[in-house]
Amino acid sequence: MATPASIDMIERLIGFDTTSRESNLELISYVREYLAGLGVESMLVHNAEGTKANLYATVGDQDKPGIMLSGHTDVVPVDGQPWDTDPFKVVEKDGKLYGRGTSDMKSFIAITLAKLPEFQARGLETPLHLAFSYDEEIGCIGVRTLIAKFADMPIKPAMCIVGEPTSMQVITGHKGKRSYQVRVRGFEAHSSLAPRGVNAIEFAARLIAKLRDIAERIQDEGPHDELYDVTHTTVHTGVISGGTQLNIVPLDCRFEFEFRYIGDQDPDALETEIRDYAANELEPAMKAIHPDAGITIDCVNHMPGLDMNANDEVVTFVKSLAGRNDHAKVAFGTEAGLFQTRAGIPTVVCGPGSIDQAHKPNEFITLEQVSAAETFLDRLMDRVCEA
Ligand SMILES: [Zn+2]
């Protein structure tokens, strides 16, 4: 059964409107004070404006590498969503707790906090590290400044569990993502003199067709990873704009594309192939007409993927906590890829609630999932505590 302590903490954390565009500092200072009350010191890593912060804290011996429990404190907006209740006030109904962030992912943070006094009472032999971030929902931005701090830390966490909603399934991988903005600069001319201009839209179309060719080649030839629903890397163009009116050869065309790659795909090689095509196949023809014409490709976000070996210690350890032997890979991105690739910390994703409820109106977590997370942490206690 879900304990009142967990439910009470979930209610408190949901009560802070930490939509990514807002400050998360009220929530962070609440957590910091709660931890201080347990004798645990917190380190805050703020954003440049000082309006948001990551919180990092170690419970137990500071001189030993321990187990990091990680989550993001921000939530997606509720704007325009038809909620039946106040999204920032937990409502319990039919065995479910409703509220923005109940699944994604304040409940994991709350249940962890609620359990800490028990961990302490039983005496931590292996420490717990808590890492609570901001701005996850807008591209895993916040946690990067925290990860940069790990480089200076004498003791790094030995492993990490990211408590995103997986219905307590153990997730060993998710795809990485790179997103790009492309600007194609043409050269204007009256459309009756089209060959004297450089048509930015047409060259953009060639590059987009090339992206499509690459996507189809990867689909046919792989690499494939059968643990994913879509078993291969995907390449996709999502936005385009360009041109002024029909009788002008367009000067400008902009579009955005992304690829979401599996662990066996080298994202640098893919990016190089795309850049080489633009530079060697398209730009010479453009510049032959006008030297100012050309193509600029900017990477605007890179979220590394997670790809843990199923035999890694963190995988078997977390399976034992979750009481199951299976593992899976998921379509959605998390901070786990950054912890693995940028901080070198073996990481899996495992947390209460379902991704099916995330980001939707009337988001909820079942009390059964709250209870499952408590059991998970009880098993962790058995492993890391003295008594
Ligand atoms: Zn999330």
Side-chain angles (χ1 to χ4, degrees), residues 72 104-105 136-137 164-165 359:
H72 61 84
D104 188 12
M105 57 170 292
E136 188 272 347
E137 296 287 6
E164 290 275 2
H359 299 197

Side-chain angles (χ1 to χ4, degrees), residues 306-332:
L306 172 71
D307 196 35
M308 289 307 303
N309 189 307
N311 299 318
D312 195 282
E313 192 193 344
V314 68
V315 179
T316 46
F317 182 74
V318 176
K319 280 180 179 176
S320 74
L321 304 183
R324 55 198 301 164
N325 271 318
D326 61 318
H327 61 271
K329 296 184 179 181
V330 291
F332 58 93

Side-chain angles (χ1 to χ4, degrees), residues 2 13 18 27 33-34 43 58 66 69 100 103 106 130 156 207 250 290-291 302 329 336 365 369 379 381 384:
L13 298 192
T18 53
L27 181 149
E33 276 167 40
Y34 172 83
M43 173 182 85
T58 297
L69 302 173
R100 169 57 85 226
S103 263
K106 287 178 170 173
L130 308 176
K156 253 194 334 189
L207 187 51
H290 199 282
H302 179 201
K329 296 184 179 181
I365 189 166
Q369 280 291 299
R379 292 193 185 116
M381 235 179 269
V384 300

Side-chain angles (χ1 to χ4, degrees), residues 183-198:
R183 183 178 171 206
V184 180
R185 290 176 316 284
F187 182 63
E188 275 178 319
H190 191 285
S191 61
S192 65
L193 303 172
R196 296 186 195 169
V198 179

Side-chain angles (χ1 to χ4, degrees), residues 8-68:
D8 181 61
M9 188 61 83
I10 292 169
E11 285 173 356
R12 281 175 190 273
L13 298 192
I14 299 295
F16 298 103
D17 176 359
T18 53
T19 307
S20 308
R21 64 179 173 237
E22 307 289 344
S23 169
N24 74 338
L25 291 181
E26 274 185 42
L27 181 149
I28 290 292
S29 74
Y30 170 77
V31 172
R32 185 186 203 175
E33 276 167 40
Y34 172 83
L35 291 173
L38 300 175
V40 176
E41 219 179 294
S42 302
M43 173 182 85
L44 302 192
V45 183
H46 287 85
N47 64 351
E49 299 77 27
T51 54
K52 299 172 184 177
N54 299 295
L55 182 148
Y56 184 78
T58 297
V59 189
D61 192 343
Q62 306 274 344
D63 301 326
K64 284 190 209 167
I67 292 160
M68 182 157 74

